[in-house]
Amino acid sequence: MSNQRQASSASQTPHLSPAELSYLYTSLSLPKSPIRPDGRSPTQFRPLTAESNILPGTNGSARIGFADGTQAIVGVKAEVEKTVLSTDTLASSEGGEGEDSTSTSNSAAASGHGSWVQMSIEIPGFRDDDALPVFLSEMMRESLVGSVADGGSDGGGDGGGDGDVTMAGGLKGRLVINKRWHWRLYIDVLLLSQPLSYPLPLLSLTTHLALLSTKLPKLKSQGEEDPFFDDDWEVAEYLYPRSSNLKAAGNASQYVRPPVTLLVVSVGENIIFDPSREEIAVADAVLAISVTRDTEAGNLKLLSIRTVDPPSRLTQPAVPNSENVNMLGATAPTEDIAVLNPATGEEEVPGVWRPRRGGVKRSVIANMVKTVLKKGGVGEEVLEGLEGVEVE
Amino acid sequence: MAITILPPVVEDVAPYHADSDDSMSGADSDSDVEMSGVSRPNKKPRTGDGKISSGIVTPGEIVTADPKWMRGHGTYMNPLSTSIIATVAGKVQQTNKLLSVHPLRARYIPEIGDLVVGRIVEVQSKRWKVDVAAPLLAQLPLSAINLPGGILRRRTSADELQIRTFFSEGDLVVAEVQSVHQDGSASLHTRSLKYGKLRNGVFLAVTGTGGSGASSSSVKGGVGSGSGSSAAAASSGTGGGVVRSRRQVWTHTTANGGGEVDIILGVNGYIWISKHADGAEAVSSTTENVSITRMEEMVSSSIYSSQNDDVPPQTRREIARLTQCVRVLVQGGVRVDEDTLTDSYEASLQVDLEVGDDDEEEEYGQEGREYLEGAKARRILELTMQRK
């Protein structure tokens, strides 16, 4: 039980002995080819099982199970809500909807508002207002509503109903029905198992998949009328337009995708994806990197980088043999020569665990971001993989 | 390919109901027991002529209401009624008139003489509290360890004061169960040169009826097929885990230049795989002139070291391979012992060769080829079972 409290730092940190930590760290920081405890390559993910549209009562849902047994379910529900207009919006809206005047003032009616997306995360053993669920949901919501395409801030206003494939204005713009009405999205994230490792990547991937499968009923009304919708669920439109509908039109990379948050750790000079619990425990730095696919040129766009408190700094240091009172007389004096760790610049005796004091080199961080973003990189592969999950 | 996404395996659910419906009727063929008292909400009516006797009940579920049965382990009986109710999740087992429920996962029950791997969770004034995956923490008294200094001597108050220099929180120890108390908790001892603090390796915990741990709580879809793994589980009887066997500690000579690797299978399901430490050699490498009489003293004092030796990358690779072999075995529901682990290690080498042969794209071949779980796991299991 006490382990669960620790989960707010970076994960439920297992108590590892200094010898284990040292062994893990040395294995993972071997130059060029780290040896992970489960033999994966640095960018390899554990196989996961995924399915979407599993909950009939939702607009979109997904379930993902990681190989370590953790599972999450996400349900997305949408609701029509009346847009509350502030007075200055009303005033400026007369000025026309193609102008920048709207975007300078509160242009919620045209470009959407971040508060239209609500996210709640439930993790077993945690209260709703514990730090971890709150932090996680804000971290995921932030990249979700922040993923605005570079296109004009308005335009989603009139295009929202009729299958706007470019999705100007990102998710927020897509939620606009017309000036007076909008969709409100409720994203409910449920972790089914104990958080064995930091649950962020699991929850993010599941949310991504659920949003991909989310459908909104087709709008029948036009313009500024009160909205009414087609009863036929068959003709409902995807919240994020699918490439499969328009396969002939262009390549899949043209479409906006929900963001994905990946957990990346660095150990020494090495960069490791999909870290297991033990790997997080020895990491120099833990980063949560959110990426999405941009409309233009199909490149990946970096949305946010968050550092997560690495648990390694709270661990116990090992006692070198030369200082161990139980070893007095057993070792030749001062045989251990401290060497400089190239990654952290601290002096260390090889084979002796020292808690990481935090701090990584800028080149390492840059490298992490580059590995995610580069063409054919990890980010792209993850997005492609999730795209491949059959909807329905 | 960085990521593999599998479709969900429709395991358990469908065949599971079929199993549970015919839980005991197959085993009990001589008498016509009406299982009408068995309450199974929202399941189909029982057919009563099935052959499978591997029904799974959950805690609180009424196993039977028939008064002719006697209750065994894993069940209880309300004093006012005759129905037998399961207290654990597991399979119903019937021995003549005795009904018991064998748990799917259980904690380790210590027995005298068991070799266990444990983790120190608490340091008290004269003893340590050790997590050995048992219902209660085991205790390791200060009087039950080898004090440094070679000769057996009385422990002093100085030893009590520096108790953390022997073992401190988080340290892993290998020990033996010295005695079991009334309440089921164990007392350990490390009064042998083969026991003590563990280093130069990796730890993993397996579940099963032997031990309990997080590493393999429930692996859905990790091993692709439900049918394959359940077949393996059936052959081993009670499912994966470490069982008491002839040898719990042995040295494995690995391939690929990995050298020798020590494997310690704790009876409690905690496993330690490390570079082989040849006691005398290790000491003579650190100190040049040691008389043969002091040798033992040297060895005994090095058991309190928390500094790792230099482990070459090849050895680390093979240790990682062995670790995965254990995981594959556990996921497949095969019990882990010296034979199965050696077999699966050989099988993993063979699978590597097979894969290496028909690899066209060299780049992808190299990428993550050391990862054995997932696709390769099934093949390894098959080969392992063949060898048996």
Side-chain angles (χ1 to χ4, degrees):
Chain A
M1 288 303 111
S2 65
N3 279 345
Q4 280 179 15
R5 295 296 109 188
Q6 295 176 359
S8 48
S9 102
S11 73
Q12 192 183 352
T13 356
H15 268 297
L16 294 176
S17 72
E20 281 178 284
L21 292 166
S22 161
Y23 181 90
L24 271 173
Y25 187 88
T26 324
S27 296
L28 290 173
S29 63
L30 284 175
K32 298 281 176 246
S33 59
I35 299 170
R36 303 176 70 168
D38 50 7
R40 284 182 286 158
S41 73
T43 56
Q44 196 180 7
F45 282 60
R46 287 165 289 189
L48 48 88
T49 56
E51 57 183 333
S52 56
N53 270 347
I54 50 161
L55 304 172
T58 59
N59 289 60
S61 56
R63 177 184 79 96
I64 288 187
F66 270 17
D68 61 359
T70 52
Q71 281 195 42
I73 286 187
V74 172
V76 182
K77 285 194 172 193
E79 175 181 272
V80 177
E81 197 181 56
K82 198 157 191 172
T83 311
V84 181
L85 294 174
S86 58
T87 46
D88 54 338
T89 318
L90 278 174
S92 63
S93 64
E94 286 151 16
E97 48 188 50
E99 300 302 313
D100 274 326
S101 59
T102 44
S103 58
T104 52
S105 65
N106 178 10
S107 60
S111 65
H113 198 272
S115 65
W116 294 353
V117 179
Q118 275 190 359
M119 181 171 270
S120 79
I121 295 188
E122 196 152 309
I123 298 173
F126 286 87
R127 284 165 46 131
D128 284 356
D129 54 355
D130 270 342
L132 182 72
V134 172
F135 183 56
L136 283 180
S137 69
E138 209 33 53
M139 193 142 68
M140 278 158 63
R141 204 186 66 88
E142 163 198 73
S143 53
L144 198 57
V145 298
S147 60
V148 182
D150 293 334
S153 60
D154 45 13
D158 18 47
D162 41 63
D164 180 17
V165 286
T166 54
M167 252 184 96
L171 177 65
K172 286 190 292 188
R174 180 74 175 85
L175 293 176
V176 177
I177 295 171
N178 58 34
K179 277 219 171 62
R180 291 179 302 124
W181 296 90
H182 65 260
W183 288 106
R184 176 178 279 274
L185 278 193
Y186 297 94
I187 305 176
D188 293 305
V189 183
L190 179 64
L191 187 66
L192 292 181
S193 49
Q194 286 291 320
L196 288 182
S197 60
Y198 198 63
L200 178 65
L202 172 65
L203 301 185
S204 164
L205 292 182
T206 320
T207 309
H208 176 98
L209 206 55
L211 282 169
L212 268 189
S213 73
T214 302
K215 281 178 163 183
L216 297 177
K218 190 176 172 64
L219 190 69
K220 271 182 139 179
S221 60
Q222 288 179 342
E224 298 303 306
E225 296 170 22
D226 282 358
F228 76 92
F229 298 95
D230 202 324
D231 284 343
D232 193 359
W233 190 246
E234 293 296 310
V235 298
E237 288 155 342
Y238 282 111
L239 177 66
Y240 285 89
R242 297 288 289 196
S243 53
S244 54
N245 300 344
L246 309 125
K247 211 164 257 171
N251 58 347
S253 60
Q254 289 298 316
Y255 304 103
V256 181
R257 285 289 161 254
V260 178
T261 309
L262 301 173
L263 203 62
V264 191
V265 302
S266 80
V267 180
E269 301 276 326
N270 290 322
I271 293 151
I272 288 165
F273 284 83
D274 190 22
S276 66
R277 194 164 57 140
E278 289 82 9
E279 286 162 350
I280 295 180
V282 296
D284 285 331
V286 185
L287 289 195
I289 300 181
S290 301
V291 291
T292 189
R293 182 169 285 154
D294 208 344
T295 32
E296 281 162 36
N299 282 331
L300 289 184
K301 183 174 150 191
L302 182 69
L303 289 173
S304 68
I305 301 181
R306 292 267 173 180
T307 57
V308 180
D309 186 15
S312 56
R313 73 185 173 80
L314 299 171
T315 49
Q316 284 223 337
V319 183
N321 285 346
S322 52
E323 290 167 27
N324 196 333
V325 287
N326 294 314
M327 305 276 296
L328 284 182
T331 43
T334 64
E335 207 209 313
D336 306 313
I337 304 136
V339 288
L340 213 62
N341 183 337
T344 54
E346 285 177 43
E347 282 200 346
E348 289 177 359
V349 182
V352 176
W353 170 251
R354 289 276 298 280
R356 305 292 128 191
R357 297 261 163 69
V360 274
K361 290 197 171 161
R362 283 168 73 163
S363 61
V364 176
I365 300 274
N367 207 355
M368 281 161 119
V369 174
K370 211 165 74 188
T371 327
V372 177
L373 287 184
K374 75 174 178 221
K375 202 119 187 111
V378 179
E380 217 158 73
E381 285 190 2
V382 170
L383 282 176
E384 264 167 38
L386 287 169
E387 193 113 344
V389 175
E390 279 294 305
V391 175
E392 269 144 332
Chain B
M1 193 64 188
I3 189 165
T4 341
I5 300 183
L6 309 162
V9 185
V10 193
E11 353 99 45
D12 303 337
V13 190
Y16 170 73
H17 287 319
D19 284 3
S20 66
D21 280 344
D22 313 315
S23 60
M24 284 168 309
S25 37
D28 179 68
S29 50
D30 53 340
S31 61
D32 53 342
V33 194
E34 260 307 313
M35 303 301 277
S36 55
V38 178
S39 91
R40 269 173 217 280
N42 67 43
K43 303 250 175 84
K44 7 175 205 177
R46 309 176 58 77
T47 50
D49 53 8
K51 287 271 183 287
I52 311 130
S53 60
S54 62
I56 291 182
V57 291
T58 50
E61 196 173 335
I62 296 175
V63 180
T64 179
D66 197 321
K68 67 174 277 193
W69 299 104
M70 287 159 57
R71 64 173 202 91
H73 285 293
T75 61
Y76 83 102
M77 207 178 245
N78 196 322
L80 297 176
S81 80
T82 56
S83 45
I84 294 173
I85 300 167
T87 56
V88 290
K91 295 177 190 159
V92 178
Q93 281 186 342
Q94 180 211 355
T95 324
N96 296 324
K97 295 272 177 186
L98 187 72
L99 281 185
S100 52
V101 179
H102 191 83
L104 291 174
R105 291 168 48 128
R107 295 206 143 238
Y108 159 68
I109 306 294
E111 282 180 24
I112 292 175
D114 281 350
L115 177 110
V116 294
V117 175
R119 197 184 285 282
I120 309 280
V121 290
E122 201 179 322
V123 180
Q124 297 176 346
S125 64
K126 284 178 189 169
R127 59 182 182 175
W128 295 270
K129 286 286 189 179
V130 191
D131 167 34
V132 289
L136 296 164
L137 294 177
Q139 57 167 323
L140 174 63
L142 185 58
S143 57
I145 65 166
N146 265 346
L147 296 169
I151 43 165
L152 294 176
R153 60 175 173 86
R154 275 184 70 85
R155 67 191 162 89
T156 61
S157 56
D159 292 326
E160 277 175 33
L161 287 174
Q162 51 178 350
I163 187 168
R164 271 203 175 76
T165 63
F166 305 121
F167 303 119
S168 73
E169 291 93 339
D171 281 345
L172 282 170
V173 292
V174 53
E176 190 181 302
V177 177
Q178 186 165 35
S179 61
V180 179
H181 299 290
Q182 196 85 59
D183 57 357
S185 68
S187 268
L188 309 177
H189 78 93
T190 61
R191 279 199 178 277
S192 162
L193 291 187
K194 48 184 189 197
Y195 301 144
K197 199 184 271 187
L198 293 170
R199 56 202 181 98
N200 295 332
V202 290
F203 168 81
L204 75 162
V206 303
T207 69
T209 40
S212 158
S215 103
S216 65
S217 49
S218 70
V219 185
K220 303 275 184 198
V223 188
S225 77
S227 60
S229 59
S230 67
S235 68
S236 69
T238 53
V242 178
V243 287
R244 292 185 183 89
S245 63
R246 223 159 16 88
R247 281 220 287 177
Q248 306 283 157
V249 183
W250 74 92
T251 304
H252 189 101
T253 311
T254 55
N256 303 334
E260 294 194 314
V261 169
D262 280 341
I263 299 166
I264 301 176
L265 294 183
V267 184
N268 56 345
Y270 287 177
I271 296 172
W272 182 255
I273 302 175
S274 63
K275 184 189 148 198
H276 177 59
D278 189 4
E281 208 173 275
V283 170
S284 60
S285 70
T286 51
T287 51
E288 288 76 29
N289 41 3
V290 175
S291 68
I292 199 73
T293 48
R294 283 193 69 209
M295 196 70 92
E296 187 160 292
E297 180 185 326
M298 300 285 109
V299 175
S300 69
S301 59
S302 77
I303 64 174
Y304 296 112
S305 166
S306 58
Q307 173 169 355
N308 281 343
D309 301 337
D310 181 38
V311 185
Q314 297 88 346
T315 313
R316 289 175 191 266
R317 279 220 171 76
E318 294 316 301
I319 289 177
R321 180 190 290 277
L322 276 164
T323 315
Q324 291 181 77
C325 287
V326 174
R327 290 217 182 95
V328 167
L329 286 177
V330 171
Q331 283 168 21
V334 181
R335 93 196 124 79
V336 184
D337 59 18
E338 187 183 355
D339 294 339
T340 53
L341 188 52
T342 313
D343 285 349
S344 66
Y345 180 79
E346 301 296 328
S348 78
L349 293 175
Q350 191 176 331
V351 168
D352 261 14
L353 284 179
E354 286 169 14
V355 173
D357 282 346
D358 47 45
D359 245 344
E360 280 106 30
E361 289 162 284
E362 195 52 40
E363 202 180 324
Y364 280 148
Q366 290 301 326
E367 177 94 342
R369 66 178 303 162
E370 282 156 23
Y371 186 62
L372 299 178
E373 288 159 68
K376 286 183 186 168
R378 218 180 135 194
R379 182 85 186 110
I380 293 176
L381 270 179
E382 274 173 22
L383 286 170
T384 312
M385 298 316 289
Q386 274 174 22
R387 281 159 199 262
K388 275 187 121 181

